[in-house]
Amino acid sequence: MIKIKNVSKTYNGRIKAIDNLNLDINSGEIVGFIGLNGAGKTTLIKLMTGVLKPDKGTITINNLDIEEDSIEAKKIIGYISDNPNMFLRLTGFEYINFIADVYDVPVKSRKKKIYELADKFHLLDQLDKPMQSYSHGTRQKMMVIATLVHDPKVWILDEPLIGLDPKSALILKNMMIEHAHSGNIVFFSTHVLEVAEKLCDKVAIINKGKIVFYGTLEELKSKYDQKDDLEKLFLEVIDESI
């Protein structure tokens, strides 16, 4: 379970990116995180993964405080950032091994995992090539493999489907469903409301650093008496929160 309690984050002492935010995410759930650009999505994800520290409040991941138990909490998190353009001088295999070293993944088990995931995403012939030669989508898939090489219980993903071809996106979606059905957590941001509708158990809508709705899409549709136009529904929630 992820518990976010009274969390705030301000930049430069004046820009409040996250404003006294509370959110509970249960094990076995896929939660979609939705908001306009600048609403606070990436900031909250970076707070949840320990990349940033909150000004106040607490975040616990499976009862581990992300600040006080930082190392242990991060061991159970798989994080995909919104930028796959990192470590580009490394080959895919070198990059994934580097991440595996960080998480102390045994060499024997990691090799099996790397080849299984690379095969799943049709990347076996790309592992020995430098990442700077990859397309955006291939870099994104390498990020996914590196994120999952240590078998994290909690997946926290910032726009993980952007840049993926339809087949790779479907593979990742199915992996997300399987992971949650195994009693784990998947929390991911997305701009595509249709993805949230088909994939998520719940959605969390954020605006100006505050959660303005959290629940199932059926609950959201019922609350606003809107059944079909998800984009219109989303904008209605945002407008009401202003």
Side-chain angles (χ1 to χ4, degrees), residues 165-177:
D165 60 84
K167 187 172 183 179
S168 297
L170 180 60
I171 290 169
L172 182 54
K173 290 175 191 175
N174 288 336
M175 291 173 69
M176 292 161 73
I177 292 169

Side-chain angles (χ1 to χ4, degrees), residues 25-70:
I25 302 167
N26 296 318
S27 298
E29 289 183 340
I30 302 176
V31 175
F33 194 33
I34 305 169
L36 300 173
N37 291 337
K41 298 191 304 297
T42 294
T43 295
L44 183 62
I45 284 174
K46 288 181 176 178
L47 290 167
M48 292 168 70
T49 54
V51 176
L52 295 176
K53 291 186 177 182
D55 299 330
K56 70 168 190 175
T58 59
I59 299 173
T60 57
I61 312 290
N62 288 0
N63 298 316
L64 295 168
D65 189 290
I66 195 62
E67 288 193 84
E68 294 182 2
D69 307 300
S70 178

Side-chain angles (χ1 to χ4, degrees), residues 79-175:
Y79 167 51
I80 297 179
S81 78
D82 59 344
N83 178 16
N85 301 316
M86 297 183 287
F87 303 101
L88 298 185
R89 292 179 181 270
L90 301 179
T91 67
F93 195 74
E94 288 170 341
Y95 170 63
I96 298 166
N97 267 292
F98 167 68
I99 299 300
D101 285 340
V102 170
Y103 286 98
D104 293 323
V105 181
V107 172
K108 186 175 181 179
S109 60
R110 86 170 59 166
K111 193 171 183 180
K112 182 174 183 290
K113 185 75 171 180
I114 290 170
Y115 283 115
E116 283 178 353
L117 289 169
D119 184 53
K120 186 183 288 284
F121 284 103
H122 307 287
L123 291 178
L124 288 174
D125 62 341
Q126 299 294 318
L127 285 173
D128 292 327
K129 296 178 182 178
M131 291 179 64
Q132 61 188 0
S133 70
Y134 294 169
S135 67
H136 178 95
T138 299
R139 291 176 189 173
Q140 186 75 0
K141 287 185 278 188
M142 285 296 178
M143 291 276 288
V144 171
I145 294 172
T147 297
L148 304 184
V149 72
H150 68 290
D151 289 322
K153 298 293 185 184
V154 177
W155 295 5
I156 301 177
L157 318 176
D158 198 353
E159 297 286 358
L161 301 172
I162 286 182
L164 295 184
D165 60 84
K167 187 172 183 179
S168 297
L170 180 60
I171 290 169
L172 182 54
K173 290 175 191 175
N174 288 336
M175 291 173 69

Side-chain angles (χ1 to χ4, degrees), residues 201-215:
D201 300 299
K202 294 178 182 176
V203 294
I205 299 177
I206 187 171
N207 190 41
K208 295 183 177 180
K210 292 179 177 288
I211 297 295
V212 295
F213 176 83
Y214 182 47

